[in-house]
């Protein structure tokens, strides 16, 4: 296979990366994709930076073995905490969400809210990137620990979900934000709940589409665009394939065939997944 026709690796802790894949498929219909969801070890957003960095290395090592020509971190938490550390360790380009998202946000407004996982919010990565581009912006970053367990636990329709979303977002509305960034790729899956809370005055930024634009530019710059039609997207997870297949089908519009990967560093991944979702659901 020529380098141009090798797949692009896209990864997240779970189904969040599908919001990136959706934008990717629209903009780059010829590119083949190797999708990985680290469902055995999610949520990433309540993990430490060293843990997340180790997980990211597992994934990128595996993607390197599979011959990807580029990798996209379709996960803000990984982008915020691990991208700078691991980027130079691989011989293919690795792109993340923070800078493309920050650039889009500062173009859109001056008073910017970011909803993100606790790890991303605590890192301050979005605020730092935005102020580096435009020192006059004001940024508020809010950690939303329940959102990923809600999406992965298939609890979008629960009555409590709206109350949880209000709790996270209303303090930002009180700050008179003009722009709100989805600082976690799982959150666009909650758009029907978040949009009415935010109202029409606030511009919602989904960094996914901006990452995809950056990907397009990078592929062109490196002469790596695929020209022939793509192969079907390959889906892999570290947890239970049937769970991912079932949950992802509502966004993909089909039930994907999903394969399991177990990294050497993992022990009993399936149980870890179940426990962490429960613990987080009860927080
Ligand atoms: N979807 C990921 C993000 O954008 C990670 C969410 C998680 O596992 O906590 O940060």
């Amino acid at each position: 296979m020529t380098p141009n026709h090798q797949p692009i690796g896209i990864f997240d802790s779970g189904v969040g990366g599908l919001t990136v894949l959706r934008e990717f498929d629209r903009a780059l219909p010829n590119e083949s994709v190797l999708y990985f969801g680290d469902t055995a070890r999610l949520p990433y957003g309540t993990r430490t930076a060293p843990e997340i960095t180790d997980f990211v290395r597992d994934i990128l090592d595996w993607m390197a073995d599979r011959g990807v020509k580029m990798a996209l971190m379709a996960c803000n938490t990984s982008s915020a905490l691990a991208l700078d550390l691991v980027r130079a360790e691989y011989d293919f380009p690795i792109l993340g969400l923070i800078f493309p998202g920050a650039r889009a946000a500062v173009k859109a407004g001056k008073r910017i809210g970011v909803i993100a996982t606790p790890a991303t919010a605590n890192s301050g990565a979005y605020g730092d990137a935005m102020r580096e581009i435009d020192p006059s912006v004001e940024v508020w970053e809010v950690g939303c620990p329940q959102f990923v367990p809600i999406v992965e636990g298939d609890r979008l329709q629960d009555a409590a979900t709206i109350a949880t979303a209000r709790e996270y977002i209303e303090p930002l509305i009180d700050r008179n934000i003009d722009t709100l960034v989805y600082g976690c790729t799982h959150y666009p899956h909650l758009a029907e709940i978040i949009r009415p809370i935010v109202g029409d005055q606030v511009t919602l930024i989904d960094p996914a589409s901006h990452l995809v634009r950056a990907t397009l530019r990078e592929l062109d710059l490196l002469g790596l665009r695929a020209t022939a039609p793509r192969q079907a997207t390959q889906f892999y997870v570290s947890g239970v394939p049937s769970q991912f297949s079932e949950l992802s089908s509502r966004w993909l519009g089909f039930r994907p065939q999903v394969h399991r990967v177990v990294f050497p560093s993992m022990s009993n991944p399936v149980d870890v997944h179940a426990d962490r979702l429960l613990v987080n659901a009860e927080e």
Side-chain angles (χ1 to χ4, degrees):
M1 209 191 283
T2 64
N4 292 44
H5 294 105
Q6 288 169 308
I8 294 181
I10 297 183
F11 74 86
D12 177 45
S13 61
V15 294
L18 298 178
T19 62
V20 173
L21 184 64
R22 177 174 62 194
E23 301 295 333
F24 185 97
D25 285 348
R26 274 190 209 136
L28 293 159
N30 283 335
E31 301 296 335
S32 302
V33 173
L34 175 65
Y35 186 96
F36 176 75
D38 201 358
T39 54
R41 303 189 289 193
L42 67 79
Y44 275 16
T46 43
R47 300 265 191 187
T48 64
E51 276 180 309
I52 293 161
T53 307
D54 285 348
F55 298 167
V56 165
R57 285 198 177 106
D58 281 344
I59 298 165
L60 290 170
D61 288 350
W62 175 76
M63 287 189 165
D65 287 346
R66 306 280 310 217
V68 300
K69 65 178 177 183
M70 183 180 280
L72 306 188
M73 292 188 174
C75 170
N76 290 268
T77 311
S78 309
S79 308
L81 293 149
L83 179 56
D84 288 345
L85 291 170
V86 302
R87 191 173 239 157
E89 296 172 8
Y90 297 87
D91 59 7
F92 47 84
I94 306 168
L95 275 63
L97 287 150
I98 307 294
F99 203 74
R103 207 168 31 207
V106 301
K107 269 193 202 154
K110 285 278 177 209
R111 297 178 66 80
I112 303 169
V114 180
I115 45 172
T117 65
T120 301
N122 292 338
S123 78
Y126 266 111
D128 290 348
M130 288 175 198
R131 283 185 292 268
E132 200 179 304
I133 303 165
D134 179 352
S136 72
V137 292
E138 287 193 84
V139 186
W140 295 272
E141 297 171 76
V142 173
C144 311
Q146 293 289 339
F147 275 166
V148 168
I150 284 171
V151 174
E152 293 285 344
D154 199 7
R155 291 188 281 119
L156 269 76
Q157 308 303 332
D158 284 13
T161 300
I162 296 178
T164 303
R166 284 193 177 284
E167 207 178 293
Y168 294 144
I169 295 166
E170 276 172 356
L172 290 170
I173 307 290
D174 293 344
R175 298 275 187 184
N176 282 322
I177 55 163
D178 51 32
T179 306
L180 181 67
V181 178
Y182 287 125
C184 170
T185 52
H186 280 74
Y187 300 176
H189 291 319
L190 292 158
E192 281 179 24
I193 290 160
I194 292 172
R195 179 85 258 182
I197 297 172
V198 167
D200 292 336
Q201 315 298 332
V202 173
T203 306
L204 269 168
I205 300 287
D206 183 355
S209 58
H210 303 281
L211 167 61
V212 167
R213 258 178 247 168
T215 305
L216 210 147
R217 281 195 298 271
E218 187 82 1
L219 287 171
D220 280 343
L221 206 68
L222 300 171
L224 278 177
R225 281 280 276 274
T227 44
R230 70 191 318 186
Q231 292 162 359
T233 298
Q234 304 169 64
F235 291 93
Y236 286 84
V237 294
S238 53
V240 182
S242 59
Q243 263 175 23
F244 183 90
S245 181
E246 173 69 32
L247 189 62
S248 64
S249 61
R250 77 185 55 176
W251 297 295
L252 290 169
F254 64 94
R255 240 189 111 102
Q257 208 185 40
V258 182
H259 306 278
R260 181 141 178 237
V261 180
V262 179
F263 300 125
S265 62
M266 293 167 73
S267 60
N268 203 1
V270 177
D271 291 349
V272 174
H273 176 218
D275 286 356
R276 286 182 57 81
L277 275 185
L278 261 182
V279 168
N280 277 280
E282 285 166 3
E283 262 174 14

